[in-house]
Amino acid sequence: MTVTTHARVDSREVLARLIDDLGDAVSTAAEAVDATRADKSGHFSEAAPLAVVTARSIEDVQAVMRIATATGTPVVTRGAGTGLAGGAIANAGEIVLSTLAMNKLLEVSVDDELAVVEPGIINGDLNLQLEPHGLWFTPDPASRAISTVGGNIATNAGGLLCAKYGVTRESILGLSVVMADGRLMEFGHRTVKGVTGLDLTALMIGSEGTLGVIVGATVKLRRLIPGTVAVISARFETVDDAARAAAVITSAGLRPAIMELIGESAMAGISAHLRMEHLGGSRLVIQTDGPGAVQEAEAIFATITSLGGVGELSLDPAEGERLFSIRRAFHPSMAALGTVLIEDVCVPRSQLPAMFAAIHEIEQKYDLIIPTVAHAGDGNLHPNFVFDGEGEDGADVPAVIWAAADELFAAALRLGGTLTGEHGVGLLKRRWLREELGDDQLMLQKQIKDLFDPLGILNPGKVF
Amino acid sequence: MTVTTHARVDSREVLARLIDDLGDAVSTAAEAVDATRADKSGHFSEAAPLAVVTARSIEDVQAVMRIATATGTPVVTRGAGTGLAGGAIANAGEIVLSTLAMNKLLEVSVDDELAVVEPGIINGDLNLQLEPHGLWFTPDPASRAISTVGGNIATNAGGLLCAKYGVTRESILGLSVVMADGRLMEFGHRTVKGVTGLDLTALMIGSEGTLGVIVGATVKLRRLIPGTVAVISARFETVDDAARAAAVITSAGLRPAIMELIGESAMAGISAHLRMEHLGGSRLVIQTDGPGAVQEAEAIFATITSLGGVGELSLDPAEGERLFSIRRAFHPSMAALGTVLIEDVCVPRSQLPAMFAAIHEIEQKYDLIIPTVAHAGDGNLHPNFVFDGEGEDGADVPAVIWAAADELFAAALRLGGTLTGEHGVGLLKRRWLREELGDDQLMLQKQIKDLFDPLGILNPGKVF
């Protein structure tokens, strides 16, 4: 495969063509373009992009991609900008293609348990609109109140519930995609099953804007789960005890909807932030749902107690909310301490205690505190590196943090895990991609990328 | 992308190289090579392939692919040969690479709820070996007693349970794949989540031997479902009544593990085969499981009764088996009538009544009887075209049947459905692929195929 790079056209000429075709959808206002230099990763690009185009329709997206192809201009597709890996950060000379205004719920089919949505719809807004139908889009990244479904798809977002209800990939039936050259393609089906040709829908999911622009999605819905929700919150002396209890719970075949593990320094930070008495130790916060919710919660609570956990079990929704508020306070408590690099390694569930031990060693070696929470049901850990960001533009991650993160990734891979469970590779994890994939697979992945994007204009420098 | 076709080497030379490298793994015995001219589709290839190589190891597979690449010889990967679309049928000059002897369960992790298997392991055998661990591989194609896990992956097999428990794709974490040139690649993870790079695992699933040879799989397991299983069998006057009842059941948010709909002429055939009294009409056979099994079954039974269904609900396992035996007798009853082309269209669940109506129109127009069963929970129908196969080699499908099938596919696409829900495209549905995918997507899929298989030696003529 040879990649032909068009001679890049002068930026003013690109801008003129955009404005000709798209009018006031194009913004070059400083606040608009500057906002796209960052996401929620704490990373900033060197310079502002050329323009932000706020697409209002598939035709707008096609028009942008045609101009980008004709002029060899890079395009960064962006939703709400809540990414944690720099995947939607834009740099000098790039067009930002915002899908945030394409935010309509186009169709709900109760009978077929599906919805058709535009990519810019906020995950939480979609669920609010689905609730009257008794339906629910299950992917629930922690960012669900502010992140778009398009962004969830682009990163194959997970969340708290995904050990029981699956990651985003399991909820996507079909995708409408505008290709690099502006052609519109329809991948997948409206049906639950289908094996006609290669699964390009799955290939798009998690591709982080490098293969095409997602302009529509047919998503699979679930019925809202009726009945009681039970919540357990329990304290353990050490994170190792809590991680082992989580492992025993899953090994016993119990299937919590949510099982969050809060490490020791994370608990210390949350306690300080909430001005709670800090008892030390670690915490498991667990939720069960469905017809077996109470029975399962009782079995889990008995297991926890037998393993030295001390806590409470509540069937009251308000009390359950209160028990979860501790977990919810984690990100605000970290943000209050400084700039945060939120990592995202994932290991086989059984390796959670070993991964926590590895994090502890890294803390000691680098004289850092790395507060960590984990989705214990699926082995996904979020170690938080907190550091002093120097001013608005200088929040880039210090070398010592990257050195510690490097050991973190190596430990995850050694334990049979992966660099990123749900945040994506973006800009920030590119340097470790080869280590996980190997040379041969990385080359094959790049060849697929080249096939979709022969000019290299789709989110260049991200992932690959 | 240009495809270089090597000058094909003389067959005797290819055979000599295979025997040099692989010894008695290579067979040219008439019964061995002839057996690979067919699968369970009723289709036969024109002539026997060059040889059957029974691989015993990944190294054997690599050796075959290196020779195939060096000599430009086509390779048809084959498991148990139970396919229904001709995907593993071999023709003159081809090497059949059998993975049937690579049938070991290599690892079970109860804690991580996963297993590592070789591709030739029979689905039912894997589940027998998992049972003592309290675990279960959920994909359950009707062929599970005779089909391999490798074949299940190659076709993204569905089955009776997949509306509740997912298709094969949802159960595959990682794959070991030997590429066309003999290199071994590892796709995917051992973890539940992971978004490092493009999802090549998903791309392989359902690719029907056209992208590489699956030589190992890390599969996700579930706990065996404890508690009672409830079975309902109910008769309706017409298939339309039964299909509407199925739609009401899913619309009410009830979630049977199995919901099989048996059409009117299918019931007539089964009754004759089992020498049962034939009451006319259609039948729904439903199973519920899990902690809400009994409650759900009672709600379903009440729905059925209110919609004119007459039947029984049993919590007794032996009685449940008896109620299901009617559904199980469908394929034998059809096979007793002649040669069968088992079709596999899938429509959005809500379109099941419309699809049955379309089948009825096609029956009248072509003066055919097309006995049909459907997995009503996911909208997947198996219309059976029964015809006289003339002798062992002459079982090819008559033109009138293909003409009727053509209308069947058109109706499924018109109703928002797909050509194939779970059997794959293989040889038999290639001619309709363009209609579903469109020119642009078909071209893109072919380009991906060329990237994995630049010489065009992997299952040529299948799917594309």
Side-chain angles (χ1 to χ4, degrees), chain B residues 23-384:
Chain B
D24 64 3
V26 183
S27 174
T28 54
E31 65 271 29
V33 292
D34 278 339
T36 67
R37 293 179 54 206
D39 59 4
K40 299 276 185 197
S41 66
H43 184 80
F44 285 78
S45 72
E46 290 86 24
L50 193 57
V52 176
V53 182
T54 303
R56 297 145 304 192
S57 66
I58 292 176
E59 291 70 29
D60 280 359
V61 174
Q62 293 184 288
V64 170
M65 292 316 306
R66 284 195 202 102
I67 292 169
T69 282
T71 61
T73 311
V75 173
V76 178
T77 305
R78 189 173 168 102
T82 63
L84 290 163
I89 284 179
N91 212 333
E94 299 180 329
I95 301 169
V96 175
L97 174 50
S98 169
T99 56
L100 207 51
M102 293 175 68
N103 61 0
K104 282 192 285 298
L105 169 57
L106 299 174
E107 182 196 340
V108 181
S109 168
V110 175
D111 290 343
D112 292 325
E113 292 176 335
L114 63 80
V116 182
V117 301
E118 292 187 324
I121 193 166
I122 300 292
N123 178 308
D125 290 347
L126 170 60
N127 274 314
L128 275 179
Q129 292 181 62
L130 292 173
E131 207 180 333
H133 301 282
L135 293 167
W136 170 48
F137 177 63
T138 63
D140 73 325
S143 61
R144 67 185 187 276
I146 53 171
S147 64
T148 65
V149 171
N152 298 164
I153 296 168
T155 55
N156 193 17
L160 273 56
L161 290 160
C162 70
K164 185 164 184 181
Y165 294 108
V167 294
T168 300
R169 192 188 67 173
E170 272 87 69
S171 290
I172 304 301
L173 298 170
L175 292 174
S176 303
V177 176
V178 172
M179 308 300 288
D181 60 7
R183 276 175 307 157
L184 177 65
M185 292 216 196
E186 301 292 339
F187 299 148
H189 317 93
R190 266 180 83 91
T191 50
V192 179
K193 288 157 143 178
V195 285
T196 309
L198 304 174
D199 190 349
L200 301 190
T201 311
L203 194 65
M204 290 300 304
I205 297 170
S207 64
E208 303 185 46
T210 63
L211 300 184
V213 184
I214 295 168
V215 293
T218 302
V219 305
K220 196 157 92 176
L221 306 175
R222 273 184 184 260
R223 302 287 160 163
L224 287 169
I225 311 286
T228 307
V229 166
V231 177
I232 293 166
S233 177
R235 182 185 162 277
F236 290 82
E237 275 303 311
T238 67
V239 71
D240 192 60
D241 291 344
R244 284 179 198 283
V248 171
I249 289 165
T250 46
S251 293
L254 297 161
R255 208 173 165 79
I258 300 177
M259 181 156 60
E260 295 290 300
L261 198 168
I262 309 172
E264 294 163 32
S265 51
M267 270 313 297
I270 292 169
S271 300
H273 187 67
L274 295 181
R275 294 167 204 271
M276 278 166 40
E277 184 190 0
H278 180 49
L279 304 169
S282 169
R283 191 163 282 273
L284 273 183
V285 189
I286 293 173
Q287 181 175 305
T288 61
D289 63 10
V294 175
Q295 215 180 340
E296 257 187 317
E298 283 165 357
I300 290 169
F301 195 70
T303 304
I304 283 175
T305 307
S306 74
L307 294 170
V310 176
E312 35 192 327
L313 158 62
S314 175
L315 305 179
D316 176 61
E319 179 64 11
E321 265 307 301
R322 192 188 64 79
L323 297 178
F324 259 104
S325 63
I326 291 177
R327 167 64 180 84
R328 294 233 170 75
F330 176 61
H331 292 299
S333 74
M334 292 299 109
L337 296 178
T339 304
V340 185
L341 173 70
I342 305 178
E343 274 314 326
D344 176 41
V345 292
C346 191
V347 293
R349 254 190 308 247
S350 60
Q351 301 304 313
L352 261 186
M355 192 65 217
F356 270 103
I359 292 170
H360 187 62
E361 277 174 33
I362 296 167
E363 284 180 320
Q364 296 192 304
K365 176 167 172 188
Y366 289 88
D367 194 21
L368 289 170
I369 293 170
I370 312 174
T372 298
V373 295
H375 309 311
D378 54 32
N380 187 194
L381 301 97
H382 295 306
N384 276 232

Side-chain angles (χ1 to χ4, degrees), chain A residues 111-113 162 169 183 186 193 195-196 198-199 223 250-251 349-350 380 418 420 422 441 445, chain B residues 111-113 162 169 186 193 195-196 198-199 223 250-251 349-350 380 418 420 422 440-441 445:
Chain A
D111 290 343
D112 292 326
E113 292 176 335
C162 70
R169 192 189 66 172
R183 277 175 306 157
E186 301 292 340
K193 288 157 143 178
V195 286
T196 310
L198 303 174
D199 190 350
R223 301 287 159 163
T250 45
S251 293
R349 255 189 308 246
S350 60
N380 188 194
T418 176
T420 171
E422 55 188 15
Q441 193 187 155
Q445 296 218 354
Chain B
D111 290 343
D112 292 325
E113 292 176 335
C162 70
R169 192 188 67 173
E186 301 292 339
K193 288 157 143 178
V195 285
T196 309
L198 304 174
D199 190 349
R223 302 287 160 163
T250 46
S251 293
R349 254 190 308 247
S350 60
N380 187 194
T418 175
T420 170
E422 56 187 16
D440 282 0
Q441 192 187 157
Q445 295 220 356

Side-chain angles (χ1 to χ4, degrees), chain A residues 117-130:
Chain A
V117 302
E118 290 187 326
I121 193 166
I122 300 291
N123 178 309
D125 290 346
L126 170 60
N127 275 314
L128 275 179
Q129 293 181 62
L130 292 173

